[in-house]
Amino acid sequence: MSPEVISMRVPDEPTTSERMLLTSGRYVHFGPFRIDQQRQEVTRNGARLKLQGKVYQVLLSLLEKPGEVVTREELRIRLWPADTHVNYDANVNTTVNKLRQALGDSSDKPLYIETIPRRGYCLLVQPEVSDKSPQPYPAEASSVAASTPDASRSSGSFVLSKSDVWVVLGVIGLILAGMLLGAGITRLWILRASPVAQYPLLMIFARTFATTFF
């Protein structure tokens, strides 16, 4: 199939008042998605989505005209240079389908992008533009909470779990049992050795007594 030559007639561009001013803020929000325009990064609930350049441009085109039809000709002008000869319909369809796949959307039951037959596409949600740094998503907050024990350990605090307490008590019990056993053995040895030690002392005392008085 030979590539289709695209007509270069530029459609009427919407005025600034009709187009959403994405430049009024760094962040764009819609549904669970957040766009950082400065970094050209799209995230969903804190997880980054990998969008190709043309797919990202299609998303921006839809965000600029929420609730309105973005024609296929508008997308062609934005995505391909004037001297490009491509299969226009196939490339637009492929790019929009990649965007839908990244957003978890469907052409049969669209949540974000609706197909307008023979015209183009329409964004079904109203985005919000803000220049303030957004609050962390739950996933990010949980990761911060998970790092809290490490932070407490690094600060010098010492926390024992139940299993650690039982281990310490077991070690102390073994030490005490060993001390008691050692004391018992020592006492038994002394008791056994004492009669043998007392007998020579008695002999020496008797001899001294006899020498002195006789």
Side-chain angles (χ1 to χ4, degrees), residues 11 15 28 65 69 74 80 105 111 114 120-121 158-160 164 169 174 177 180 187 206-208:
T15 62
V28 183
K65 296 176 61 177
V69 178
E74 288 181 67
W80 289 280
D105 202 5
L111 297 175
E114 180 183 7
Y121 305 92
F158 184 73
V159 180
L160 287 178
D164 295 333
L169 292 177
L174 291 175
L180 292 175
R187 182 178 179 84
R207 290 177 181 179
T208 303

Side-chain angles (χ1 to χ4, degrees), residues 42-198:
V42 182
T43 57
R44 177 173 185 168
N45 294 331
R48 183 176 179 179
L49 303 180
K50 296 181 180 180
L51 299 185
Q52 298 176 355
K54 290 187 180 344
V55 177
Y56 179 76
Q57 291 300 320
V58 169
L59 177 58
L60 292 183
S61 299
L62 294 169
L63 290 171
E64 290 172 352
K65 296 176 61 177
E68 301 181 21
V69 178
V70 178
T71 65
R72 301 170 70 85
E73 184 69 9
E74 288 181 67
L75 294 178
R76 194 275 306 162
I77 294 172
R78 183 159 188 164
L79 299 181
W80 289 280
D83 57 348
T84 303
H85 299 275
V86 297
N87 188 336
Y88 171 67
D89 287 334
N91 279 273
V92 170
N93 290 339
T94 299
T95 307
V96 174
N97 286 337
K98 287 182 179 180
L99 177 59
R100 278 183 170 138
Q101 184 178 6
L103 300 180
D105 202 5
S106 170
S107 59
D108 298 330
K109 296 180 180 180
L111 297 175
Y112 306 108
I113 304 172
E114 180 183 7
T115 300
I116 309 301
R118 295 182 297 276
R119 295 188 61 192
Y121 305 92
C122 177
L123 185 67
L124 299 178
V125 295
Q126 182 66 35
E128 298 179 359
V129 181
S130 174
D131 201 33
K132 296 181 180 179
S133 179
Q135 296 296 325
Y137 285 99
E140 297 173 349
S142 61
S143 63
V144 173
S147 64
T148 302
D150 296 333
S152 63
R153 291 174 185 173
S154 62
S155 63
S157 60
F158 184 73
V159 180
L160 287 178
S161 63
K162 284 186 176 182
S163 59
D164 295 333
V165 172
W166 285 112
V167 170
V168 172
L169 292 177
V171 172
I172 294 175
L174 291 175
I175 294 174
L176 292 177
M179 293 175 63
L180 292 175
L181 181 61
I185 293 174
T186 302
R187 182 178 179 84
L188 181 61
W189 181 83
I190 292 174
L191 291 176
R192 288 185 177 183
S194 59
V196 178
Q198 290 175 1

